[in-house]
Amino acid sequence: MSVFRRDLLRGRVAFVAGGTSGINLGIAHALAAHGAAIAVLSRSEEKVAAAIADLGRHGTPVSGQAGDVRVYAAVEQALGAVAETFGPPDIIVSGAAGNFVAPAAKLSANAFKTVVDIDLLGTFNVLRAGYAVCRKPGTAMINISAGQSTTAHWGQAHVSAAKAGVDMLTRSLAGEWGPEGIRVNAIIPGPIDGTEGMARLAPTAEARREIESRIALRRYGTKDEVAQMAVFLASEAASYVTGAIMYCDGGQVLAGARGMPDGIGGPG
Ligand code: NAP
Ligand code: COA
């Protein structure tokens, strides 16, 4: 089997939570380009409609629903509809997330809870509801984590806590569901060009240069580079890979924590 083939996922069904923009939409495109039917879920009706139209170019079946990953019943309903329309999903991607830069001293309890609810509870909801309807042996679940799970990033306590939880959920569910032939892995993208995440984290050219100077490959990654890792994890090429937290970050993690900019550390 060659990873250069473009039909690695023909006949598969993929559900991508948060698949209507950015990195997750890039993943949905790559899965569809390899032949998978795609279903996306996110809050905005407009974004869902636009993603369906965009993903249609690959010629595989596409559907989508508006819903919030924080609400288990909404995720369950969306996955049930996918199972009914396309058959049980074989590939489940959990990538919905929220982020903003705020020092912990200025975070309200609800701000902290909001990010933990979207990133961590949302991932539990997607995988738990996915487990209920998935095609058991051979199912590939892929969580989208972040470098904040591993090294401290100032102004990101909420995201760090949530994504560290996503990593441990990945390992825990890989252990629990492995005997049923379900693989659960996570991708840690580095800073990815043209994304909402980086627009929020590094809004200026100077901030971007500072981040790039700490990356071994000295550049941001592309959505397609992350998507290729997702194709690998979704495919038979990764049949013996589970519980893995895989970095697609140009070596960003090697340099450790980001420096503390003025205004973030110290009294809030
Ligand atoms: P993005 O374009 O804002 O993507 C987030 C997606 O999640 C959107 O489709 C959004 O659509 C959906 N979403 C947000 N809250 C939701 C909710 N409560 N329920 C359902 N869907 C929800 O962001 P991105 O920068 O590409 O990031 C995508 C993923 O990569 C995230 O998991 C992020 O943590 C991770 N990541 C990103 C980077 C980066 O460089 N950007 C680096 C490391 C990790 P709606 O607004 O319609 O809900
Ligand atoms: N700094 C500090 N607190 C903030 C904040 C910021 N920049 N933005 C929002 N909050 C707080 C709000 O004030 C609120 O807390 P409060 O009730 O104590 O005032 C809490 O967070 C929830 O905000 P709300 O706007 O009601 O949340 P939401 O569920 O509508 O939206 C967000 C979630 C805030 C994460 C929003 O930015 C979002 O939808 N993000 C998705 C896109 C994204 O973040 N992409 C990048 C992914 S890496």
Side-chain angles (χ1 to χ4, degrees), residues 101-154:
V101 178
K106 289 184 177 150
L107 269 182
S108 71
N110 190 44
F112 184 86
K113 179 179 185 300
T114 296
V115 169
V116 170
D117 280 357
I118 301 171
D119 295 23
L120 179 53
L121 175 65
T123 295
F124 176 79
N125 287 344
V126 169
L127 268 55
R128 176 65 185 81
Y131 174 83
V133 297
C134 71
R135 199 190 309 269
K136 297 279 183 305
T139 301
M141 299 185 175
I142 302 168
N143 296 326
I144 309 304
S145 183
Q148 287 91 327
S149 77
T150 314
T151 57
H153 288 55
W154 322 134

mmCIF file of all heavy atoms in Angstrom, residues 101-154:
data_model
loop_
_atom_site.group_PDB
_atom_site.id
_atom_site.type_symbol
_atom_site.label_atom_id
_atom_site.label_comp_id
_atom_site.label_asym_id
_atom_site.label_seq_id
_atom_site.Cartn_x
_atom_site.Cartn_y
_atom_site.Cartn_z
ATOM 1 N N VAL A 101 -6.551 34.745 23.959
ATOM 2 C CA VAL A 101 -5.433 34.970 24.876
ATOM 3 C C VAL A 101 -5.934 35.773 26.065
ATOM 4 O O VAL A 101 -6.519 36.846 25.890
ATOM 5 C CB VAL A 101 -4.289 35.729 24.166
ATOM 6 C CG1 VAL A 101 -3.144 36.004 25.143
ATOM 7 C CG2 VAL A 101 -3.792 34.934 22.962
ATOM 8 N N ALA A 102 -5.736 35.258 27.263
ATOM 9 C CA ALA A 102 -6.123 35.986 28.481
ATOM 10 C C ALA A 102 -5.328 35.445 29.657
ATOM 11 O O ALA A 102 -5.288 34.229 29.864
ATOM 12 C CB ALA A 102 -7.623 35.827 28.745
ATOM 13 N N PRO A 103 -4.679 36.337 30.410
ATOM 14 C CA PRO A 103 -3.974 35.866 31.597
ATOM 15 C C PRO A 103 -4.962 35.284 32.598
ATOM 16 O O PRO A 103 -6.103 35.755 32.696
ATOM 17 C CB PRO A 103 -3.310 37.136 32.149
ATOM 18 C CG PRO A 103 -3.948 38.279 31.464
ATOM 19 C CD PRO A 103 -4.584 37.786 30.211
ATOM 20 N N ALA A 104 -4.536 34.258 33.326
ATOM 21 C CA ALA A 104 -5.439 33.577 34.262
ATOM 22 C C ALA A 104 -6.055 34.564 35.254
ATOM 23 O O ALA A 104 -7.219 34.427 35.630
ATOM 24 C CB ALA A 104 -4.683 32.478 35.001
ATOM 25 N N ALA A 105 -5.279 35.580 35.638
ATOM 26 C CA ALA A 105 -5.785 36.548 36.618
ATOM 27 C C ALA A 105 -6.949 37.359 36.063
ATOM 28 O O ALA A 105 -7.677 38.008 36.817
ATOM 29 C CB ALA A 105 -4.660 37.482 37.055
ATOM 30 N N LYS A 106 -7.116 37.319 34.737
ATOM 31 C CA LYS A 106 -8.236 38.064 34.138
ATOM 32 C C LYS A 106 -9.301 37.133 33.552
ATOM 33 O O LYS A 106 -10.230 37.598 32.895
ATOM 34 C CB LYS A 106 -7.706 38.998 33.056
ATOM 35 C CG LYS A 106 -6.918 40.161 33.654
ATOM 36 C CD LYS A 106 -6.462 41.164 32.618
ATOM 37 C CE LYS A 106 -5.746 42.310 33.301
ATOM 38 N NZ LYS A 106 -4.722 42.930 32.482
ATOM 39 N N LEU A 107 -9.136 35.837 33.782
ATOM 40 C CA LEU A 107 -10.124 34.868 33.267
ATOM 41 C C LEU A 107 -11.260 34.735 34.275
ATOM 42 O O LEU A 107 -11.002 34.436 35.441
ATOM 43 C CB LEU A 107 -9.491 33.479 33.159
ATOM 44 C CG LEU A 107 -8.807 33.001 31.887
ATOM 45 C CD1 LEU A 107 -8.333 31.563 32.114
ATOM 46 C CD2 LEU A 107 -9.734 33.069 30.690
ATOM 47 N N SER A 108 -12.489 34.882 33.829
ATOM 48 C CA SER A 108 -13.602 34.557 34.729
ATOM 49 C C SER A 108 -13.745 33.036 34.778
ATOM 50 O O SER A 108 -13.242 32.318 33.900
ATOM 51 C CB SER A 108 -14.904 35.185 34.215
ATOM 52 O OG SER A 108 -15.342 34.519 33.042
ATOM 53 N N ALA A 109 -14.431 32.565 35.798
ATOM 54 C CA ALA A 109 -14.667 31.123 35.895
ATOM 55 C C ALA A 109 -15.423 30.644 34.666
ATOM 56 O O ALA A 109 -15.155 29.547 34.137
ATOM 57 C CB ALA A 109 -15.455 30.802 37.165
ATOM 58 N N ASN A 110 -16.314 31.479 34.153
ATOM 59 C CA ASN A 110 -17.083 31.057 32.974
ATOM 60 C C ASN A 110 -16.220 31.044 31.716
ATOM 61 O O ASN A 110 -16.423 30.199 30.835
ATOM 62 C CB ASN A 110 -18.306 31.960 32.773
ATOM 63 C CG ASN A 110 -19.240 31.414 31.712
ATOM 64 O OD1 ASN A 110 -19.520 30.199 31.704
ATOM 65 N ND2 ASN A 110 -19.691 32.261 30.801
ATOM 66 N N ALA A 111 -15.240 31.949 31.645
ATOM 67 C CA ALA A 111 -14.338 31.942 30.485
ATOM 68 C C ALA A 111 -13.525 30.646 30.479
ATOM 69 O O ALA A 111 -13.373 29.986 29.440
ATOM 70 C CB ALA A 111 -13.411 33.156 30.534
ATOM 71 N N PHE A 112 -12.979 30.281 31.650
ATOM 72 C CA PHE A 112 -12.215 29.026 31.772
ATOM 73 C C PHE A 112 -13.109 27.837 31.400
ATOM 74 O O PHE A 112 -12.749 26.985 30.588
ATOM 75 C CB PHE A 112 -11.697 28.889 33.210
ATOM 76 C CG PHE A 112 -10.822 27.694 33.429
ATOM 77 C CD1 PHE A 112 -9.455 27.745 33.172
ATOM 78 C CD2 PHE A 112 -11.352 26.496 33.897
ATOM 79 C CE1 PHE A 112 -8.634 26.635 33.373
ATOM 80 C CE2 PHE A 112 -10.546 25.382 34.091
ATOM 81 C CZ PHE A 112 -9.186 25.456 33.839
ATOM 82 N N LYS A 113 -14.312 27.823 31.983
ATOM 83 C CA LYS A 113 -15.245 26.707 31.751
ATOM 84 C C LYS A 113 -15.633 26.600 30.272
ATOM 85 O O LYS A 113 -15.775 25.500 29.736
ATOM 86 C CB LYS A 113 -16.500 26.921 32.607
ATOM 87 C CG LYS A 113 -17.566 25.844 32.449
ATOM 88 C CD LYS A 113 -18.759 26.133 33.364
ATOM 89 C CE LYS A 113 -19.788 25.010 33.321
ATOM 90 N NZ LYS A 113 -20.338 24.783 31.998
ATOM 91 N N THR A 114 -15.789 27.760 29.633
ATOM 92 C CA THR A 114 -16.223 27.747 28.225
ATOM 93 C C THR A 114 -15.226 26.993 27.350
ATOM 94 O O THR A 114 -15.609 26.141 26.539
ATOM 95 C CB THR A 114 -16.399 29.196 27.720
ATOM 96 O OG1 THR A 114 -17.459 29.805 28.468
ATOM 97 C CG2 THR A 114 -16.749 29.239 26.234
ATOM 98 N N VAL A 115 -13.946 27.281 27.539
ATOM 99 C CA VAL A 115 -12.931 26.613 26.710
ATOM 100 C C VAL A 115 -12.804 25.132 27.083
ATOM 101 O O VAL A 115 -12.711 24.262 26.211
ATOM 102 C CB VAL A 115 -11.584 27.370 26.806
ATOM 103 C CG1 VAL A 115 -10.458 26.563 26.179
ATOM 104 C CG2 VAL A 115 -11.715 28.728 26.117
ATOM 105 N N VAL A 116 -12.841 24.844 28.383
ATOM 106 C CA VAL A 116 -12.775 23.436 28.795
ATOM 107 C C VAL A 116 -13.994 22.679 28.262
ATOM 108 O O VAL A 116 -13.879 21.534 27.794
ATOM 109 C CB VAL A 116 -12.666 23.321 30.336
ATOM 110 C CG1 VAL A 116 -12.840 21.876 30.796
ATOM 111 C CG2 VAL A 116 -11.315 23.862 30.804
ATOM 112 N N ASP A 117 -15.142 23.310 28.285
ATOM 113 C CA ASP A 117 -16.356 22.638 27.796
ATOM 114 C C ASP A 117 -16.283 22.354 26.290
ATOM 115 O O ASP A 117 -16.679 21.279 25.840
ATOM 116 C CB ASP A 117 -17.601 23.482 28.087
ATOM 117 C CG ASP A 117 -18.074 23.328 29.531
ATOM 118 O OD1 ASP A 117 -17.476 22.525 30.278
ATOM 119 O OD2 ASP A 117 -19.041 24.015 29.901
ATOM 120 N N ILE A 118 -15.792 23.328 25.513
ATOM 121 C CA ILE A 118 -15.735 23.099 24.057
ATOM 122 C C ILE A 118 -14.663 22.043 23.743
ATOM 123 O O ILE A 118 -14.927 21.046 23.061
ATOM 124 C CB ILE A 118 -15.427 24.399 23.281
ATOM 125 C CG1 ILE A 118 -16.475 25.477 23.546
ATOM 126 C CG2 ILE A 118 -15.349 24.114 21.770
ATOM 127 C CD1 ILE A 118 -16.121 26.860 22.987
ATOM 128 N N ASP A 119 -13.453 22.269 24.257
ATOM 129 C CA ASP A 119 -12.319 21.430 23.847
ATOM 130 C C ASP A 119 -12.357 20.031 24.476
ATOM 131 O O ASP A 119 -12.163 19.032 23.779
ATOM 132 C CB ASP A 119 -10.997 22.102 24.239
ATOM 133 C CG ASP A 119 -10.738 23.417 23.504
ATOM 134 O OD1 ASP A 119 -11.699 24.053 23.025
ATOM 135 O OD2 ASP A 119 -9.565 23.822 23.423
ATOM 136 N N LEU A 120 -12.581 19.992 25.783
ATOM 137 C CA LEU A 120 -12.438 18.704 26.484
ATOM 138 C C LEU A 120 -13.760 17.947 26.607
ATOM 139 O O LEU A 120 -13.870 16.808 26.154
ATOM 140 C CB LEU A 120 -11.812 18.945 27.867
ATOM 141 C CG LEU A 120 -11.607 17.713 28.750
ATOM 142 C CD1 LEU A 120 -10.827 16.607 28.038
ATOM 143 C CD2 LEU A 120 -10.913 18.098 30.048
ATOM 144 N N LEU A 121 -14.781 18.605 27.182
ATOM 145 C CA LEU A 121 -16.086 17.933 27.258
ATOM 146 C C LEU A 121 -16.583 17.648 25.838
ATOM 147 O O LEU A 121 -17.141 16.575 25.563
ATOM 148 C CB LEU A 121 -17.084 18.813 28.017
ATOM 149 C CG LEU A 121 -18.514 18.271 28.068
ATOM 150 C CD1 LEU A 121 -18.590 16.966 28.855
ATOM 151 C CD2 LEU A 121 -19.474 19.302 28.681
ATOM 152 N N GLY A 122 -16.359 18.605 24.929
ATOM 153 C CA GLY A 122 -16.783 18.409 23.536
ATOM 154 C C GLY A 122 -16.134 17.175 22.926
ATOM 155 O O GLY A 122 -16.785 16.399 22.218
ATOM 156 N N THR A 123 -14.851 16.982 23.205
ATOM 157 C CA THR A 123 -14.158 15.807 22.668
ATOM 158 C C THR A 123 -14.713 14.527 23.287
ATOM 159 O O THR A 123 -14.930 13.529 22.589
ATOM 160 C CB THR A 123 -12.636 15.939 22.897
ATOM 161 O OG1 THR A 123 -12.173 17.055 22.135
ATOM 162 C CG2 THR A 123 -11.891 14.695 22.452
ATOM 163 N N PHE A 124 -14.970 14.563 24.598
ATOM 164 C CA PHE A 124 -15.599 13.390 25.219
ATOM 165 C C PHE A 124 -16.937 13.095 24.545
ATOM 166 O O PHE A 124 -17.238 11.952 24.192
ATOM 167 C CB PHE A 124 -15.807 13.591 26.727
ATOM 168 C CG PHE A 124 -16.543 12.435 27.349
ATOM 169 C CD1 PHE A 124 -15.877 11.257 27.652
ATOM 170 C CD2 PHE A 124 -17.915 12.492 27.572
ATOM 171 C CE1 PHE A 124 -16.564 10.157 28.175
ATOM 172 C CE2 PHE A 124 -18.609 11.405 28.089
ATOM 173 C CZ PHE A 124 -17.922 10.239 28.400
ATOM 174 N N ASN A 125 -17.742 14.140 24.351
ATOM 175 C CA ASN A 125 -19.073 13.940 23.750
ATOM 176 C C ASN A 125 -18.973 13.318 22.356
ATOM 177 O O ASN A 125 -19.717 12.397 22.018
ATOM 178 C CB ASN A 125 -19.815 15.279 23.663
ATOM 179 C CG ASN A 125 -20.295 15.766 25.026
ATOM 180 O OD1 ASN A 125 -20.343 14.999 25.993
ATOM 181 N ND2 ASN A 125 -20.635 17.044 25.120
ATOM 182 N N VAL A 126 -18.040 13.838 21.554
ATOM 183 C CA VAL A 126 -17.906 13.346 20.172
ATOM 184 C C VAL A 126 -17.460 11.879 20.175
ATOM 185 O O VAL A 126 -18.009 11.034 19.457
ATOM 186 C CB VAL A 126 -16.909 14.224 19.373
ATOM 187 C CG1 VAL A 126 -16.557 13.578 18.035
ATOM 188 C CG2 VAL A 126 -17.497 15.627 19.162
ATOM 189 N N LEU A 127 -16.478 11.566 21.002
ATOM 190 C CA LEU A 127 -15.972 10.189 21.005
ATOM 191 C C LEU A 127 -16.964 9.231 21.666
ATOM 192 O O LEU A 127 -17.148 8.106 21.200
ATOM 193 C CB LEU A 127 -14.601 10.122 21.689
ATOM 194 C CG LEU A 127 -13.412 10.276 20.724
ATOM 195 C CD1 LEU A 127 -13.478 11.543 19.903
ATOM 196 C CD2 LEU A 127 -12.084 10.162 21.454
ATOM 197 N N ARG A 128 -17.608 9.686 22.728
ATOM 198 C CA ARG A 128 -18.563 8.804 23.436
ATOM 199 C C ARG A 128 -19.779 8.518 22.559
ATOM 200 O O ARG A 128 -20.222 7.374 22.465
ATOM 201 C CB ARG A 128 -18.979 9.469 24.758
ATOM 202 C CG ARG A 128 -20.032 8.707 25.523
ATOM 203 C CD ARG A 128 -19.522 7.355 26.002
ATOM 204 N NE ARG A 128 -20.599 6.599 26.632
ATOM 205 C CZ ARG A 128 -21.523 5.897 25.960
ATOM 206 N NH1 ARG A 128 -21.478 5.822 24.640
ATOM 207 N NH2 ARG A 128 -22.462 5.251 26.613
ATOM 208 N N ALA A 129 -20.316 9.567 21.920
ATOM 209 C CA ALA A 129 -21.459 9.354 21.024
ATOM 210 C C ALA A 129 -20.998 8.593 19.779
ATOM 211 O O ALA A 129 -21.728 7.750 19.248
ATOM 212 C CB ALA A 129 -22.082 10.699 20.633
ATOM 213 N N GLY A 130 -19.776 8.869 19.328
ATOM 214 C CA GLY A 130 -19.222 8.147 18.175
ATOM 215 C C GLY A 130 -19.075 6.662 18.472
ATOM 216 O O GLY A 130 -19.384 5.814 17.635
ATOM 217 N N TYR A 131 -18.632 6.363 19.682
ATOM 218 C CA TYR A 131 -18.476 4.955 20.091
ATOM 219 C C TYR A 131 -19.808 4.218 19.993
ATOM 220 O O TYR A 131 -19.873 3.064 19.581
ATOM 221 C CB TYR A 131 -17.945 4.896 21.525
ATOM 222 C CG TYR A 131 -17.891 3.506 22.092
ATOM 223 C CD1 TYR A 131 -16.805 2.667 21.820
ATOM 224 C CD2 TYR A 131 -18.927 3.017 22.886
ATOM 225 C CE1 TYR A 131 -16.758 1.377 22.324
ATOM 226 C CE2 TYR A 131 -18.891 1.733 23.394
ATOM 227 C CZ TYR A 131 -17.809 0.918 23.114
ATOM 228 O OH TYR A 131 -17.774 -0.364 23.608
ATOM 229 N N ALA A 132 -20.874 4.923 20.337
ATOM 230 C CA ALA A 132 -22.199 4.285 20.352
ATOM 231 C C ALA A 132 -22.664 3.870 18.956
ATOM 232 O O ALA A 132 -23.411 2.904 18.824
ATOM 233 C CB ALA A 132 -23.217 5.234 20.987
ATOM 234 N N VAL A 133 -22.223 4.612 17.927
ATOM 235 C CA VAL A 133 -22.753 4.311 16.582
ATOM 236 C C VAL A 133 -21.693 3.816 15.594
ATOM 237 O O VAL A 133 -22.040 3.428 14.484
ATOM 238 C CB VAL A 133 -23.428 5.556 15.945
ATOM 239 C CG1 VAL A 133 -24.624 6.004 16.752
ATOM 240 C CG2 VAL A 133 -22.447 6.695 15.724
ATOM 241 N N CYS A 134 -20.415 3.809 15.991
ATOM 242 C CA CYS A 134 -19.367 3.538 14.982
ATOM 243 C C CYS A 134 -19.328 2.076 14.560
ATOM 244 O O CYS A 134 -19.867 1.208 15.230
ATOM 245 C CB CYS A 134 -18.001 3.972 15.507
ATOM 246 S SG CYS A 134 -17.357 2.927 16.825
ATOM 247 N N ARG A 135 -18.655 1.853 13.428
ATOM 248 C CA ARG A 135 -18.423 0.499 12.922
ATOM 249 C C ARG A 135 -17.237 -0.028 13.731
ATOM 250 O O ARG A 135 -16.110 0.325 13.478
ATOM 251 C CB ARG A 135 -18.051 0.598 11.439
ATOM 252 C CG ARG A 135 -18.215 -0.669 10.637
ATOM 253 C CD ARG A 135 -17.577 -0.485 9.271
ATOM 254 N NE ARG A 135 -18.008 0.713 8.574
ATOM 255 C CZ ARG A 135 -19.041 0.786 7.723
ATOM 256 N NH1 ARG A 135 -19.736 -0.274 7.455
ATOM 257 N NH2 ARG A 135 -19.338 1.916 7.124
ATOM 258 N N LYS A 136 -17.413 -0.849 14.715
ATOM 259 C CA LYS A 136 -16.409 -1.067 15.763
ATOM 260 C C LYS A 136 -14.992 -1.430 15.268
ATOM 261 O O LYS A 136 -14.159 -0.539 15.169
ATOM 262 C CB LYS A 136 -16.916 -2.071 16.801
ATOM 263 C CG LYS A 136 -18.156 -1.569 17.547
ATOM 264 C CD LYS A 136 -17.790 -0.618 18.650
ATOM 265 C CE LYS A 136 -18.905 -0.109 19.497
ATOM 266 N NZ LYS A 136 -20.067 0.547 18.960
ATOM 267 N N PRO A 137 -14.694 -2.701 14.901
ATOM 268 C CA PRO A 137 -13.299 -2.958 14.529
ATOM 269 C C PRO A 137 -12.918 -2.135 13.303
ATOM 270 O O PRO A 137 -13.662 -2.082 12.325
ATOM 271 C CB PRO A 137 -13.277 -4.460 14.208
ATOM 272 C CG PRO A 137 -14.482 -5.022 14.877
ATOM 273 C CD PRO A 137 -15.514 -3.914 14.862
ATOM 274 N N GLY A 138 -11.770 -1.482 13.392
ATOM 275 C CA GLY A 138 -11.303 -0.670 12.267
ATOM 276 C C GLY A 138 -11.634 0.801 12.389
ATOM 277 O O GLY A 138 -11.160 1.606 11.593
ATOM 278 N N THR A 139 -12.438 1.176 13.390
ATOM 279 C CA THR A 139 -12.763 2.602 13.545
ATOM 280 C C THR A 139 -11.520 3.375 13.993
ATOM 281 O O THR A 139 -10.790 2.939 14.882
ATOM 282 C CB THR A 139 -13.872 2.797 14.599
ATOM 283 O OG1 THR A 139 -15.030 2.077 14.179
ATOM 284 C CG2 THR A 139 -14.218 4.281 14.762
ATOM 285 N N ALA A 140 -11.326 4.541 13.350
ATOM 286 C CA ALA A 140 -10.213 5.407 13.725
ATOM 287 C C ALA A 140 -10.767 6.705 14.294
ATOM 288 O O ALA A 140 -11.533 7.399 13.624
ATOM 289 C CB ALA A 140 -9.347 5.708 12.507
ATOM 290 N N MET A 141 -10.408 7.017 15.535
ATOM 291 C CA MET A 141 -10.807 8.285 16.155
ATOM 292 C C MET A 141 -9.563 9.171 16.260
ATOM 293 O O MET A 141 -8.496 8.696 16.664
ATOM 294 C CB MET A 141 -11.410 8.032 17.532
ATOM 295 C CG MET A 141 -12.667 7.166 17.481
ATOM 296 S SD MET A 141 -13.418 7.011 19.113
ATOM 297 C CE MET A 141 -14.921 6.093 18.708
ATOM 298 N N ILE A 142 -9.726 10.438 15.884
ATOM 299 C CA ILE A 142 -8.575 11.355 15.853
ATOM 300 C C ILE A 142 -8.965 12.652 16.559
ATOM 301 O O ILE A 142 -9.904 13.343 16.143
ATOM 302 C CB ILE A 142 -8.171 11.668 14.392
ATOM 303 C CG1 ILE A 142 -7.840 10.374 13.640
ATOM 304 C CG2 ILE A 142 -6.987 12.632 14.365
ATOM 305 C CD1 ILE A 142 -7.726 10.563 12.127
ATOM 306 N N ASN A 143 -8.252 12.960 17.624
ATOM 307 C CA ASN A 143 -8.489 14.218 18.336
ATOM 308 C C ASN A 143 -7.469 15.265 17.892
ATOM 309 O O ASN A 143 -6.314 14.936 17.639
ATOM 310 C CB ASN A 143 -8.363 13.998 19.842
ATOM 311 C CG ASN A 143 -9.423 13.054 20.364
ATOM 312 O OD1 ASN A 143 -10.551 13.044 19.848
ATOM 313 N ND2 ASN A 143 -9.088 12.257 21.352
ATOM 314 N N ILE A 144 -7.911 16.522 17.834
ATOM 315 C CA ILE A 144 -6.985 17.605 17.506
ATOM 316 C C ILE A 144 -6.623 18.317 18.809
ATOM 317 O O ILE A 144 -7.451 19.017 19.401
ATOM 318 C CB ILE A 144 -7.593 18.584 16.479
ATOM 319 C CG1 ILE A 144 -8.147 17.811 15.260
ATOM 320 C CG2 ILE A 144 -6.537 19.589 16.051
ATOM 321 C CD1 ILE A 144 -7.146 16.904 14.539
ATOM 322 N N SER A 145 -5.408 18.090 19.230
ATOM 323 C CA SER A 145 -4.913 18.701 20.453
ATOM 324 C C SER A 145 -4.128 19.965 20.093
ATOM 325 O O SER A 145 -4.372 20.576 19.040
ATOM 326 C CB SER A 145 -4.052 17.671 21.207
ATOM 327 O OG SER A 145 -3.604 18.195 22.427
ATOM 328 N N ALA A 146 -3.218 20.387 20.955
ATOM 329 C CA ALA A 146 -2.407 21.581 20.671
ATOM 330 C C ALA A 146 -1.155 21.536 21.539
ATOM 331 O O ALA A 146 -1.140 20.867 22.585
ATOM 332 C CB ALA A 146 -3.209 22.855 20.958
ATOM 333 N N GLY A 147 -0.133 22.259 21.126
ATOM 334 C CA GLY A 147 1.120 22.290 21.863
ATOM 335 C C GLY A 147 0.951 22.782 23.297
ATOM 336 O O GLY A 147 1.774 22.488 24.172
ATOM 337 N N GLN A 148 -0.131 23.520 23.549
ATOM 338 C CA GLN A 148 -0.390 24.011 24.905
ATOM 339 C C GLN A 148 -0.591 22.856 25.882
ATOM 340 O O GLN A 148 -0.531 23.058 27.093
ATOM 341 C CB GLN A 148 -1.654 24.902 24.910
ATOM 342 C CG GLN A 148 -1.470 26.270 24.264
ATOM 343 C CD GLN A 148 -1.814 26.249 22.791
ATOM 344 O OE1 GLN A 148 -1.614 25.261 22.095
ATOM 345 N NE2 GLN A 148 -2.328 27.364 22.288
ATOM 346 N N SER A 149 -0.869 21.650 25.378
ATOM 347 C CA SER A 149 -1.057 20.502 26.280
ATOM 348 C C SER A 149 0.256 20.062 26.899
ATOM 349 O O SER A 149 0.270 19.370 27.915
ATOM 350 C CB SER A 149 -1.668 19.315 25.519
ATOM 351 O OG SER A 149 -0.684 18.658 24.732
ATOM 352 N N THR A 150 1.353 20.452 26.262
ATOM 353 C CA THR A 150 2.651 19.885 26.613
ATOM 354 C C THR A 150 3.562 20.896 27.295
ATOM 355 O O THR A 150 4.255 20.571 28.248
ATOM 356 C CB THR A 150 3.349 19.368 25.330
ATOM 357 O OG1 THR A 150 2.409 18.620 24.577
ATOM 358 C CG2 THR A 150 4.549 18.502 25.668
ATOM 359 N N THR A 151 3.591 22.124 26.768
ATOM 360 C CA THR A 151 4.440 23.157 27.365
ATOM 361 C C THR A 151 3.551 24.330 27.768
ATOM 362 O O THR A 151 2.495 24.558 27.172
ATOM 363 C CB THR A 151 5.505 23.656 26.356
ATOM 364 O OG1 THR A 151 4.849 24.139 25.190
ATOM 365 C CG2 THR A 151 6.467 22.540 25.976
ATOM 366 N N ALA A 152 4.003 25.080 28.760
ATOM 367 C CA ALA A 152 3.205 26.210 29.249
ATOM 368 C C ALA A 152 3.254 27.362 28.246
ATOM 369 O O ALA A 152 4.302 27.673 27.694
ATOM 370 C CB ALA A 152 3.738 26.672 30.593
ATOM 371 N N HIS A 153 2.105 27.933 27.956
ATOM 372 C CA HIS A 153 2.010 29.110 27.089
ATOM 373 C C HIS A 153 1.280 30.175 27.894
ATOM 374 O O HIS A 153 0.136 29.967 28.299
ATOM 375 C CB HIS A 153 1.186 28.798 25.828
ATOM 376 C CG HIS A 153 1.878 27.921 24.832
ATOM 377 N ND1 HIS A 153 2.396 26.690 25.133
ATOM 378 C CD2 HIS A 153 2.121 28.109 23.508
ATOM 379 C CE1 HIS A 153 2.925 26.162 24.045
ATOM 380 N NE2 HIS A 153 2.778 26.997 23.045
ATOM 381 N N TRP A 154 1.927 31.307 28.118
ATOM 382 C CA TRP A 154 1.306 32.335 28.947
ATOM 383 C C TRP A 154 0.038 32.863 28.272
ATOM 384 O O TRP A 154 -0.015 33.043 27.064
ATOM 385 C CB TRP A 154 2.274 33.477 29.216
ATOM 386 C CG TRP A 154 3.697 33.042 29.438
ATOM 387 C CD1 TRP A 154 4.803 33.608 28.883
ATOM 388 C CD2 TRP A 154 4.172 31.964 30.253
ATOM 389 N NE1 TRP A 154 5.934 32.942 29.305
ATOM 390 C CE2 TRP A 154 5.576 31.930 30.138
ATOM 391 C CE3 TRP A 154 3.552 31.003 31.061
ATOM 392 C CZ2 TRP A 154 6.374 31.005 30.794
ATOM 393 C CZ3 TRP A 154 4.338 30.062 31.720
ATOM 394 C CH2 TRP A 154 5.726 30.086 31.595
#
